[in-house]
Structures are given as structure tokens and as C-alpha cells.
Amino acid sequence: MPKLKRLAILCLPLAACVDTDDDTVQLLADELPAEVRIVGERANPALYGVHEVGTGWDHEYIEVCWDASAYGANATDEALMSEARDWVKQIVLQEWGRVSRIQFHEVWPSCAYPIYQPDIRIGHSDLLGWSHQGTEAREIASGPTMAINLRGPEGATCVPDGNGPAGGGGYIPACNGTLLGANPDSRATWTEALALHLFGYALGLRKEDVHPAGTPCAGVDEALDSAYANGEALWGFDPASIMSSCRLTSLAYGSVRPTVSVGDIRSINSLYPGVVRLFPGTQLGGASWPLGPGYYTRATHPALADVSSLVIPPGFRAMVCTTSNCATYTSSVRALSTTYNDKIQNITISLQGFVAEQPGYIGASQWLAPGVYKASQGQLATVGNNAISSAWVAPGHAITLCDGEVPSAASCISAVGGTLGVPPLLTLPGELVATFSGWNMDNVASYVKVSPRVVTYASQDFRNTSYSVAPGVYTVSGGSTYLSQVRALSVPAGLEATVCNKESVMTFPRPVCQTFTQSGTVNSNLLGQIKRLEVRVPLVVQP
């Protein structure tokens, strides 16, 4: 009779198979919480393409209103501003509102103080514009938290940083002389570029110019940014970022509709992490749909025939294949090449960790599929032995790093991406520091393990409150009260999950159950009815 054995080898497409049968590290992983809330009540999160520490929003549904100051003084003035308000709203919904977990309410009404004053309140300014930094807006009891010049560049003025919004804590996006006075090719593109830049501040981003690896931008007084250099640099300098003053200028005076860069998408997903999203149009056009880890074909997902662009957050990789070609992407693609545009036959979504030799994922670096990596076996050759200073792991999944290759509780650290309350050891969604300094782990790791976990979501769109779940059985009566709200599950390779409408599988009549061998949504007959979740390593049959 064949034997049943727990799967001990994790093997992902285009990645080496690595032995994960390590009881010592498994014990370390077991010390992590079995269930971890990773999104919904994030404490003091932070973000940087360049970012302002501690100003990321702790929820993902952002409401916006127009302050009375965003209305014109006369009919002609109001017509101009009304047109500009439409441009601002549409570009923000199209760009920032489609590339991460952050969502903006589609209705932006007038503010009504003190009855209705939501997260972001937009007024008009004859300056280029300004915005409070992320959740600093909460310090403003009444009035706008952002102001945009809705009339256009003619006659716009600029004042030094710090002299902007009343109440302090404000930020004016540079005294950029090249954005003043001259007529742009399109008043719409000028307004849209400024709106994307300002909303980057409102979501917690800093100006890219102050990145340590950044370069000065002609026409901008960089000295004015020195007071705002307290952010944390992540992922390296991105000259294409909408947060770059040079890029802002070129987009504002260009003829192409402004967009956020691939680096901006990566940065925003560092704070508001999502899953892979597919779009039927280029430049993230059309209604998107999410995919967690798994293998998908046109037979089960006919919409693959119409994919033209992808959002790929840090920690994910996507291998797309046509009938004759395959390509692997580890970052977002705003326009697929003609080889793959509208021609995808199947797609494989998998997980990967990331380690780098400098804080903030900078310098020599290495992507790691789930599994164990030892420097003595050359498996950390790219980043180097005893050289790791920062690490990343996808939200809900675990990473372990050890000083030496004989793991023990004294020599290793483990963390779950996106957890609340984890010390500032790794930059994970919700954490503040991208370095091991202060933990005596900087430049000593020679052993890394990336461990997949199941992630539950409270919406079928793979958004809203999420929990990271290790192998085990969880019930509502046992304290897992979130189960009734589960609408989708992200199930990586090497794990499977079963949800049921009863806590015991031995009751009669038999419970209604659904098993996930990869990511997917909960069947309609189980929505709101889940009382049991089992996460396990699949059983395999050996001859």
C-alpha cells in the first residue's frame, strides 16, 4: 500500500528546488503567531519611494471631499475649476486608486464641517499646491488638508516650504520655477501631474529628490527640502517617479497623460500591499481582476486572452506564457509587448522573498523563492555571506534569518510580512525600519528561510481585512471569529486550505466544505457561513 507523507520539497517555476525539511527552523516558525491580522489596524505604518516615517494610512478606503475654497469667485472662474476638479478626481482614481490595496470613494462631495470632513479635503491655492503628509491630515480639525491650483500655471506663485497650510506640518511641492508662468501644452496634463504628485504626499510618499541617491533637479531649490529629509529611502532612487520634481515638470508640460511609475507602484505597495492585478488595457486600463499565488489558464480564466498590463507588488512574481513563449516579471508592466499582449494562455503567480546588502533594499540583492538558503552552499552568492542588511517578504508570509547555519532560537529571527507589533527589524508592510542595525543581526546572516502561509481576505477582490494563517485547524468557537467574514484565500504552492460551514467534519449531515489548492474566492453557498478553516501541507502518494 502506498505511503502518505507530508511534502518536504518546495519547487516553484524557474526556481531551484530547496530542501525545507528542517525541524529546528520549523520550531522557530512555530513560535510565530498561528494567526496574524496583517491589514485593517496597522500601527504607525510608513512608506518611502522616499517616504515620511509614520504617515501611512491605517485603512485602505480613503474618502475625499472638496473644500469651499475649491470653488471659483465667479461663473467663469467656477467653470475652469469645475473642469479641473474632474481632471484631478479621474487621474487619482485611475492611477493611485488602481495599483495597490488603497481605494478612493468614487464620489467626492463638498466638505461639510464639522459633520463631514473625511481623510483628504481639497481646497484651491494660488500657489502650485500643497498637501499635508499622509495621516498628518488628522491633526487638522477643520479646513483643507490639501490645496491644488485649479486655475492653471499662469500667475501661480510659490513660497518656501513650511509657509503653506495653516496648522503646521504642511508641505509645498518645491519652489519649482519651471512650473510657474509658462503656458503648458495642455492645462489638463499640468493639473493631472500636480494632482498625482500631491496625492503621493497625501498617501505618505516624500519627494523623490531627497532620496540619498537622488540628483538635483534644475530650477528647484533643493535646500528647501532639507527639513523633510527625515524619510526612509527604500528600493533605490527612481528618476521616473511622479514624486520627482524633474519628472513632474516634464509630465506637466508634456502632451502625454501623466502616470505613476513602476517604481511608484512598487513603493505604494510597500505600505498598502496588494496581490497581482491584471488589466485588459495598456496603462492599467479597464476593470482589473486580482490573482493570488497559483496556476491559471484560459480554460478557467478566459479573461487571460485580454490582458495588456500587470501590477506586480514586491514579493510576487508572474510567469506568463503564450503558445510558444514565456516571460517572468517581478515588477509591474504598464504595457505588455506584442508577444504577450492579448495572447496569454496561462499565468503562474508565485511568492519570493528579498534580501539586500544595504538598508532599504539597496545594493547587491537577491530574490528568494520559498525554501531554505545557505551561504556555504552558494545559495546566497549574489547578496553575499554575512552581508544582509535588509529583507522583504510578501504580506502574510514568513521569513527567518540566522547568524550561522545551525538554526537556534538564540541565533535566528523570524517575522511575518505585514504583522502588527513586530519590532522594527525588517521593513515589512506596517513596519518602520529597513535595517537589522540595533538587533546585532546586521551583516551576519548566512541562513535564510522563506516560508509561505495562507492569507485570508474579507473581500472577493483580495482586499480589506486580512489574516496570515499557519498550518493548523481554526474555528469560530476557538477564537477565529474573522472566519465568517472570509471571502477569498491566497494559497501559495506547498499548502492547501479547506473551509467548512461547521466546526466538525464528523457531524451529520456532513458540512459543506470547499478546498483550495491555490488562491481563489469562497463559493456563494459558504459566504458568511464559514466556521472552520484547516491549513495543511498536501499529502502526496509515494510508491
Side-chain angles (χ1 to χ4, degrees), residues 228-245:
Y228 296 92
N230 60 332
E232 181 187 5
L234 302 183
W235 301 109
F237 175 63
D238 176 21
S241 171
I242 189 63
M243 304 310 294
S244 161
S245 296

Side-chain angles (χ1 to χ4, degrees), residues 252-272:
Y253 283 90
S255 58
V256 178
R257 194 181 196 200
T259 62
V260 298
S261 71
V262 168
D264 291 329
I265 296 173
R266 176 185 57 197
S267 295
I268 205 71
N269 273 283
S270 298
L271 179 59
Y272 311 107

Side-chain angles (χ1 to χ4, degrees), residues 371-384:
V372 169
Y373 297 82
K374 300 178 180 180
S376 65
Q377 298 180 18
Q379 295 166 334
L380 296 173
T382 303
V383 67

Side-chain angles (χ1 to χ4, degrees), residues 169-518:
Y171 185 86
I172 299 171
C175 290
N176 190 339
T178 58
L179 282 175
L180 301 176
N183 291 317
D185 291 341
S186 166
R187 180 170 158 262
T189 58
W190 188 91
T191 305
E192 290 167 341
L194 194 57
L196 288 179
H197 188 82
L198 290 171
F199 266 83
Y201 294 136
L203 292 175
L205 285 169
R206 294 301 269 147
K207 187 182 301 180
E208 193 73 11
D209 306 42
V210 300
H211 192 288
T215 55
C217 182
V220 179
D221 187 351
E222 297 298 333
L224 296 176
D225 288 325
S226 60
Y228 296 92
N230 60 332
E232 181 187 5
L234 302 183
W235 301 109
F237 175 63
D238 176 21
S241 171
I242 189 63
M243 304 310 294
S244 161
S245 296
C246 288
R247 181 63 172 165
L248 171 62
T249 301
S250 65
L251 289 173
Y253 283 90
S255 58
V256 178
R257 194 181 196 200
T259 62
V260 298
S261 71
V262 168
D264 291 329
I265 296 173
R266 176 185 57 197
S267 295
I268 205 71
N269 273 283
S270 298
L271 179 59
Y272 311 107
V275 296
V276 173
R277 304 192 75 85
L278 284 62
F279 295 81
T282 59
Q283 302 303 322
L284 314 182
S288 68
W289 67 96
L291 287 180
Y295 173 74
Y296 309 92
T297 68
R298 283 194 186 185
T300 56
H301 292 70
L304 286 176
D306 300 314
V307 175
S308 294
S309 53
L310 304 166
V311 164
I312 304 175
F316 290 89
R317 62 188 292 161
M319 183 174 71
V320 300
C321 295
T322 66
T323 55
S324 56
N325 296 282
C326 291
T328 298
Y329 300 100
T330 57
S331 60
S332 300
V333 185
R334 294 196 64 111
L336 287 171
S337 69
T338 55
T339 302
Y340 299 99
N341 185 42
D342 294 338
K343 297 175 183 176
I344 296 176
Q345 293 289 329
N346 61 73
I347 182 170
T348 302
I349 309 296
S350 54
L351 298 169
Q352 52 184 2
F354 185 84
V355 290
E357 68 167 346
Q358 296 180 30
Y361 325 128
I362 300 170
S365 59
Q366 192 170 342
W367 287 105
L368 304 174
V372 169
Y373 297 82
K374 300 178 180 180
S376 65
Q377 298 180 18
Q379 295 166 334
L380 296 173
T382 303
V383 67
N385 183 30
N386 297 330
I388 297 174
S389 291
S390 57
W392 173 272
V393 65
H397 304 284
I399 190 167
T400 298
L401 299 100
C402 301
D403 179 0
E405 296 185 3
V406 181
S408 69
S411 65
C412 299
I413 53 171
S414 295
V416 174
T419 56
L420 303 178
V422 173
L425 172 63
L426 313 172
T427 290
L428 307 167
E431 292 308 309
L432 299 179
V433 182
T435 179
F436 295 131
S437 60
W439 274 76
N440 298 320
M441 285 296 294
D442 193 17
N443 295 318
V444 299
S446 55
Y447 185 111
V448 180
K449 181 180 180 181
V450 180
S451 305
R453 289 162 66 111
V454 166
V455 182
T456 69
Y457 295 88
S459 79
Q460 292 187 314
D461 196 32
F462 290 79
R463 286 189 168 112
N464 297 331
T465 302
S466 305
Y467 281 82
S468 168
V469 185
V473 175
Y474 309 89
T475 62
V476 170
S477 66
S480 303
T481 55
Y482 65 91
L483 291 178
S484 62
Q485 301 175 3
V486 172
R487 300 292 186 270
L489 288 86
S490 172
V491 182
L495 293 176
E496 64 182 27
T498 298
V499 295
C500 300
N501 67 347
K502 294 183 179 181
E503 295 193 353
S504 173
V505 295
M506 304 304 293
T507 57
F508 185 84
R510 295 296 187 193
V512 177
C513 297
Q514 178 182 356
T515 295
F516 296 80
T517 57
Q518 63 180 33

